[in-house]
Amino acid sequence: MQPEGNLILAASSRLRLFTLFILYVAQGVPLGLFWFAIPAWMAANGADASDIGYVLGLTALPWTLKLVNGFIMDRYTFLPMGRRRVWIISAQLVMIALLGVCALARPGVEDIVLLGIAGFVVNMATTFQDVAVDGLAVDIMEEDERARASGMMFGGQAIGISLATMLTGLAIAEFGPSAAYLLAAAFIGIITAYIILLRERDGERRLPWSDGQIHPRNDSIQLGAWWPILKTTFSSILLPVSLLWLPVTLVRGFHYGMFTGLTPVIGATELGWDEASITSLVGTAQLVGGILGLTLGGWAGDKFGAKKSTIAIFAIYMALSAAMFVLRDSWSDPDLFFIFVYGWASLDVLITVAALPISMRLCNPKVAATQFTLYMACSNFGISIGAWMFGMSEALGGLRNMFLLILGAQAIGLLLMVFVKYPRRAGVPPEIVEQVAEAPGPRPSIS
């Protein structure tokens, strides 16, 4: 085993946690730009809910399709560089190139289709980075690191979103959207340079032309054909406990898709704020959420467990949604708006951090990228549903009714968390993982 100075992920817990953190920060940059800064810019310049919902829907669409990415990554990779790192580097280089193209194209507020395409293609590249990082996390993290890793990953994503939202929002206000695209590309470039310096395991190559060889552990678990990958993935994903986990991930995405649309519209129409004011608030709220994810989220997961922590956060989330529904006449109150934005931004990070270890524990290491991606894709499909339904808010009775829909979805998630027994640990053969429960019992079930 080589020393930590050689940047071997398998040799250093601190390096693993920091690397997952910084990769999720990089992932948060295009999310902050396309999920918050661009919609705020659109809302402040007269775009209505249907236009914003259209752009958000296209932006979210690649995240619902990313299950295909997992199959590709589990089937094809360049093992001399590790199972995941070559995909991470390649995806981030494509992200940089596409952001440069967006800067040159310079779509305006009225160019709804072009803005949607820009959001789609950049987020498509980001999904490849996301799937590769998730697969890396499942591959290299020890069981006792999973709660902390979850906090580092999604705390880092929230921090990346917050910094991108604030900085790209200011760049748009001062210099226009092209400056924001270039700023995002430059930051991702710095992270890419860091990843090139790493190795996943001892003896591997840093670059395709460097010295190094395939690590025996990776060689032994790599499935080199489609049928074993498909068979192993679906035998794992179709276990009862896995099927009952999918709706929980869907609900988490649904309220995120709704809130990302509701926030700029309420800020612009009810309070009269411009894009700089909205993105500054959202960015700060995301930063607070990221810090809470890094600290409180990981601590709560270690102290109370994934299930109890997720139940508590769902209950608080429902209270926030119910309050916004009841207090419709006070939406123009800046204090209420502050509570709403800080509340949902923090709770979103915390619930993701709390629930992530359950997804990790359900994964078979041989198809970790594919199976974990299926869980994340279900959550992202919920984001798309939420974004599209927000775009139909007028037909559904107005913005207030959106909170009623969110509340109903959250109630479903809470009930599943209360009554379904999800696994407490990883490392169980997939054919019997459904028998691993939060409490003694023959198999997971709904009581």
Side-chain angles (χ1 to χ4, degrees):
M1 183 177 295
Q2 298 189 20
E4 293 184 18
N6 288 330
L7 299 180
I8 307 297
L9 290 174
S12 171
S13 175
R14 290 183 179 179
L15 184 63
R16 289 194 290 272
L17 291 171
F18 175 75
T19 299
L20 291 176
F21 167 76
I22 202 68
L23 284 170
Y24 261 77
V25 171
Q27 183 186 124
V29 170
L31 298 179
L33 174 60
F34 285 101
W35 276 101
F36 297 104
I38 295 298
W41 168 64
M42 294 174 66
N45 286 275
D48 59 23
S50 62
D51 289 341
I52 296 171
Y54 175 84
V55 173
L56 284 173
L58 280 178
T59 298
L61 185 59
W63 295 91
T64 69
L65 303 174
K66 70 176 189 174
L67 59 95
V68 178
N69 306 7
F71 281 110
I72 295 172
M73 290 179 189
D74 278 330
R75 173 62 179 87
Y76 299 107
T77 189
F78 186 64
L79 285 179
M81 288 179 62
R83 297 189 75 205
R84 313 299 180 187
R85 200 169 60 88
V86 65
W87 280 104
I88 296 171
I89 294 170
S90 300
Q92 292 191 173
L93 290 174
V94 174
M95 290 161 64
I96 294 167
L98 290 173
L99 286 165
V101 171
C102 291
L104 293 174
R106 301 177 62 185
V109 172
E110 69 282 358
D111 300 318
I112 304 302
V113 174
L114 287 179
L115 287 170
I117 292 173
F120 177 86
V121 296
V122 174
N123 278 268
M124 175 63 77
T126 309
T127 63
F128 276 91
Q129 189 261 18
D130 172 64
V131 172
V133 175
D134 290 344
L136 179 67
V138 177
D139 278 350
I140 67 172
M141 299 310 298
E142 303 292 339
E143 175 60 30
D144 61 0
E145 297 173 336
R146 292 186 188 275
R148 282 177 292 158
S150 179
M152 297 295 284
M153 290 162 68
F154 287 94
Q157 185 188 72
I159 290 172
I161 292 172
S162 71
L163 293 175
T165 300
M166 290 188 289
L167 296 177
T168 60
L170 289 173
I172 290 172
E174 294 293 330
F175 305 107
S178 291
Y181 297 132
L182 293 175
L183 183 63
F187 183 82
I188 295 170
I190 294 171
I191 305 303
T192 304
Y194 167 74
I195 299 304
I196 290 173
L197 297 176
L198 296 175
R199 293 187 180 97
E200 291 180 26
R201 299 180 187 277
D202 186 22
E204 295 174 342
R205 304 180 192 180
R206 284 198 172 97
L207 292 167
W209 50 85
S210 303
D211 293 331
Q213 58 190 359
I214 300 173
H215 193 277
R217 182 264 185 190
N218 290 341
D219 195 33
S220 67
I221 68 170
Q222 181 70 18
L223 298 177
W226 287 111
W227 175 241
I229 294 174
L230 292 170
K231 181 180 178 181
T232 305
T233 299
F234 284 105
S235 65
S236 299
I237 206 75
L238 293 177
L239 293 171
V241 71
S242 179
L243 293 176
L244 291 171
W245 178 239
L246 293 175
V248 179
T249 66
L250 186 76
V251 170
R252 181 264 158 186
F254 179 79
H255 59 220
Y256 185 87
M258 279 283 198
F259 286 143
T260 52
L262 285 164
T263 298
V265 172
I266 293 175
T269 60
E270 298 290 333
L271 288 88
W273 288 9
D274 60 17
E275 67 267 29
S277 300
I278 296 171
T279 55
S280 177
L281 175 64
V282 173
T284 306
Q286 291 280 356
L287 180 60
V288 171
I291 293 171
L292 289 174
L294 289 171
T295 55
L296 180 62
W299 173 83
D302 283 334
K303 179 73 173 178
F304 303 106
K307 181 172 183 176
K308 291 180 180 178
S309 298
T310 304
I311 289 172
I313 298 167
F314 257 128
I316 299 170
Y317 233 142
M318 291 179 66
L320 177 66
S321 300
M324 289 299 293
F325 178 78
V326 172
L327 299 174
R328 172 63 182 88
D329 294 337
S330 300
W331 283 7
S332 58
D333 183 352
D335 291 337
L336 179 62
F337 189 58
F338 271 72
I339 293 171
F340 165 60
V341 175
Y342 273 88
W344 83 256
S346 298
L347 290 169
D348 178 73
V349 177
L350 290 173
I351 200 168
T352 306
V353 168
L356 186 71
I358 297 176
S359 295
M360 288 184 174
R361 291 165 188 161
L362 290 169
C363 289
N364 184 324
K366 292 185 178 181
V367 289
T370 302
Q371 189 175 349
F372 193 87
T373 296
L374 286 169
Y375 298 133
M376 297 299 102
C378 188
S379 177
N380 295 320
F381 184 55
I383 295 176
S384 288
I385 295 174
W388 287 114
M389 292 193 71
F390 165 74
M392 300 169 59
S393 58
E394 291 302 320
L396 295 172
L399 296 180
R400 186 189 187 200
N401 285 350
M402 298 301 97
F403 287 99
L404 195 60
L405 291 174
I406 294 167
L407 189 62
Q410 290 168 338
I412 294 172
L414 179 63
L415 289 173
L416 286 169
M417 288 305 304
V418 169
F419 292 111
V420 179
K421 297 176 179 179
Y422 295 109
R424 297 180 60 186
R425 59 188 177 91
V428 182
E431 63 269 20
I432 61 169
V433 72
E434 73 269 26
Q435 297 178 10
V436 182
E438 285 283 342
R443 59 185 295 119
S445 61
I446 295 182
S447 302

